[in-house]
């Protein structure tokens, strides 16, 4: 259940015949854990949840209300979950007469961090309670990588260089395992630093090791480091600098994108930068932009229509003609070190 909680503040105010109650609670959790977000009626003298008209609504609250995410809606025995919370969120009690509106989120990941709002509405008493969930993030991020020549073109030495070129290293088994626990699902096999070739599957399906196999890491075992060709899983540490979208009046070619970042006293961002900003800092932007390897990608941490409707992901557009003036650019500005 939830690991640590701390009530930060609470207050109740009465306006006419309607009582609004508001609390803020802070919950800490580790990736992969199951956590309970508490919420309950404050008054035991009012109607029960099973009464007509009682409604419970949970929402993940964003700074921009237009980006709020519905989590769960409950009316008596009828319950519905939404989006990425479907099949991951459950009421703590199925008893409609209980005064407990708490929910459990299973297998939490860093992108689940944020403020959640519980609203209990019964016509006379409206209870609103805020819960802040902090999923302690990873020290780094694992990401799959293949070059512009296409899938399965890297021997082991080329895989090492590919990760190094992106300010990363070839991932270890433990790093890939933790990434899988955090939700990484990728059907292309890639090198790990021990010379094995593996890939992580959270949703078993026929093209990816079979639909009857359990979720897990699919392992091809040790491969010939010179002759075998696969993709690679890279590991990058947390950002030491700022990753950002550079506002420009016009779309850019690749060379123009590189120069635009230089003019802003930065460098064009690398693939490791966009993955670290997305996974560790929940960076979200629905604009496709050039990166240093000539690829075009964009990071979505809040799935929505026309961006990434079903999942949080770094979306890959491809390796387009570098002379196309079709995209913007993501830049990276490293932190300045102070010499002593």
């Amino acid at each position: 259940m939830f690991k640590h909680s701390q009530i930060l503040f609470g207050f109740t105010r009465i306006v006419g015949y309607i009582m609004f109650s508001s609390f803020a609670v802070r919950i800490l959790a580790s990736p992969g854990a199951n956590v309970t977000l508490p919420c309950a009626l404050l008054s035991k003298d009012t109607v029960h949840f099973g009464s007509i008209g009682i409604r419970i609504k949970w929402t993940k609250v964003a700074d921009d209300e237009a980006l709020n995410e519905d989590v769960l809606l409950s009316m008596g025995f009828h319950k519905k979950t939404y989006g990425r919370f479907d099949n991951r969120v459950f009421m703590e009690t199925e008893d409609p007469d209980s005064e407990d509106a708490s929910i459990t989120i299973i297998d939490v990941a860093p992108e689940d961090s944020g403020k959640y709002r519980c609203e209990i509405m019964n016509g006379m008493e409206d209870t609103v309670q805020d819960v802040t969930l902090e999923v302690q993030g990873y020290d780094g991020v694992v990401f799959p990588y293949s070059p512009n020549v296409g899938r399965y073109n890297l021997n082991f030495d080329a895989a090492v260089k590919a990760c190094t070129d992106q300010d990363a290293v070839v991932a270890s088994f433990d790093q890939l395992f933790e990434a899988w626990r955090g939700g990484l699902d990728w059907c292309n096999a890639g090198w790990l630093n021990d010379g094995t070739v593996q890939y992580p599957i959270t949703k078993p399906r026929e093209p990816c090791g079979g639909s009857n196999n359990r979720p897990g890491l699919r392992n091809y075992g040790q491969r010939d480091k010179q002759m075998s060709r696969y993709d690679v899983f890279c590991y990058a540490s947390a950002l030491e600098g700022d990753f950002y979208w550079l506002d420009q009046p016009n779309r850019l070619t690749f060379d123009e994108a590189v120069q635009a970042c230089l003019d802003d006293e930065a460098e064009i961002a690398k693939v490791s930068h966009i993955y670290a900003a997305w996974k560790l800092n929940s960076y979200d932007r629905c604009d496709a932009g050039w990166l240093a390897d000539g690829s075009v990608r964009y990071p979505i941490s809040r799935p929505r229509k026309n961006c990434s409707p079903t999942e949080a992901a770094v979306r890959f557009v491809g390796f387009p003609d570098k002379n196309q003036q079709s995209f913007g650019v993501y830049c990276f500005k490293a932190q300045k070190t102070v010499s002593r």
Side-chain angles (χ1 to χ4, degrees):
M1 311 319 289
F2 65 90
K3 296 193 174 184
H4 303 287
S5 64
Q6 177 183 359
I7 296 179
L8 303 181
F9 64 85
F11 62 85
T12 301
R13 59 188 176 90
I14 300 176
V15 182
Y17 295 100
I18 302 176
M19 181 171 73
F20 298 87
S21 305
S22 183
F23 281 87
V25 175
R26 180 168 169 257
I27 306 293
L28 303 179
S30 299
N34 299 341
V35 296
T36 296
L37 306 186
C39 181
L41 279 176
L42 298 183
S43 171
K44 307 257 186 214
D45 301 326
T46 56
V47 295
H48 293 293
F49 284 180
S51 302
I52 297 176
I54 294 296
R55 187 170 75 146
I56 304 164
K57 181 180 180 182
W58 278 89
T59 306
K60 190 172 188 290
V61 181
D63 292 337
D64 180 353
E65 290 189 2
L67 299 178
N68 284 359
E69 297 179 73
D70 291 331
V71 176
L72 177 142
L73 180 65
S74 173
M75 296 184 67
F77 287 104
H78 175 73
K79 297 175 177 62
K80 179 175 176 59
T81 52
Y82 298 87
R84 63 190 178 92
F85 297 102
D86 196 24
N87 296 321
R88 294 181 55 229
V89 175
F90 305 91
M91 297 287 295
E92 271 292 279
T93 176
E94 295 298 322
D95 181 1
D97 291 329
S98 171
E99 294 172 338
D100 185 2
S102 303
I103 58 172
T104 293
I105 305 177
I106 66 171
D107 194 21
V108 296
E111 54 266 30
D112 291 321
S113 296
K115 180 188 290 185
Y116 291 77
R117 179 159 295 154
C118 169
E119 301 173 76
I120 304 171
M121 295 154 277
N122 62 22
M124 289 296 293
E125 179 184 15
D126 288 353
T127 297
V128 179
Q129 297 179 20
D130 287 348
V131 181
T132 297
L133 173 62
E134 294 183 15
V135 182
Q136 298 163 339
Y138 307 111
D139 293 332
V141 59
V142 171
F143 60 93
Y145 190 79
S146 58
N148 60 357
V149 291
R151 287 178 51 192
Y152 294 170
N153 273 284
L154 301 172
N155 65 16
F156 184 78
D157 290 341
V160 170
K161 185 178 186 303
C163 291
T164 301
D165 288 346
Q166 299 307 313
D167 286 353
V169 296
V170 179
S172 68
F173 170 85
D174 289 343
Q175 289 164 344
L176 184 63
F177 181 78
E178 285 302 314
W180 167 75
R181 288 185 59 201
L184 181 61
D185 182 283
W186 196 256
C187 199
N188 295 351
W191 291 102
L192 297 181
N193 67 358
D194 61 359
T196 63
V197 172
Q198 307 191 37
Y199 62 99
I201 295 297
T202 61
K203 304 167 195 167
R205 52 204 184 273
E206 279 306 319
C208 307
S211 58
N212 294 326
N213 286 330
R214 296 173 62 86
L217 298 186
R218 307 286 191 254
N219 189 347
Y220 288 6
Q222 294 283 338
R223 294 290 169 169
D224 187 306
K225 290 184 176 181
Q226 298 304 315
M227 300 299 295
S228 298
R229 298 289 190 274
Y230 295 96
D231 293 344
V232 63
F233 289 98
C234 302
Y235 175 85
S237 300
L239 292 175
E240 295 185 359
D242 295 322
F243 171 88
Y244 63 98
W245 169 265
L246 183 63
D247 286 323
Q248 292 284 292
N250 301 307
R251 295 303 183 184
L252 308 169
T253 66
F254 177 77
D255 288 343
E256 290 170 342
V258 171
Q259 187 60 50
C261 290
L262 290 174
D263 291 344
D264 203 48
E265 299 183 344
E267 61 179 301
I268 187 170
K270 298 184 177 180
V271 177
S272 65
H273 299 151
I274 196 171
Y275 270 97
W278 164 72
K279 187 68 175 181
L280 306 178
N281 300 338
S282 298
Y283 192 95
D284 180 284
R285 186 159 189 117
C286 195
D287 289 297
W290 290 106
L291 296 177
D293 66 340
S295 67
V296 172
R297 308 174 196 244
Y298 60 98
I300 298 297
S301 61
R302 296 184 295 274
R304 56 198 183 276
K305 186 179 179 181
N306 299 328
C307 295
S308 180
T310 61
E311 62 180 351
V314 173
R315 288 300 183 188
F316 175 64
V317 176
F319 288 93
D321 183 338
K322 289 185 176 182
N323 293 317
Q324 287 186 24
Q325 289 183 308
S326 302
F327 306 102
V329 62
Y330 290 100
C331 301
F332 179 72
K333 191 172 292 188
Q335 288 180 350
K336 292 182 179 180
T337 57
V338 180
S339 58
R340 303 192 177 200

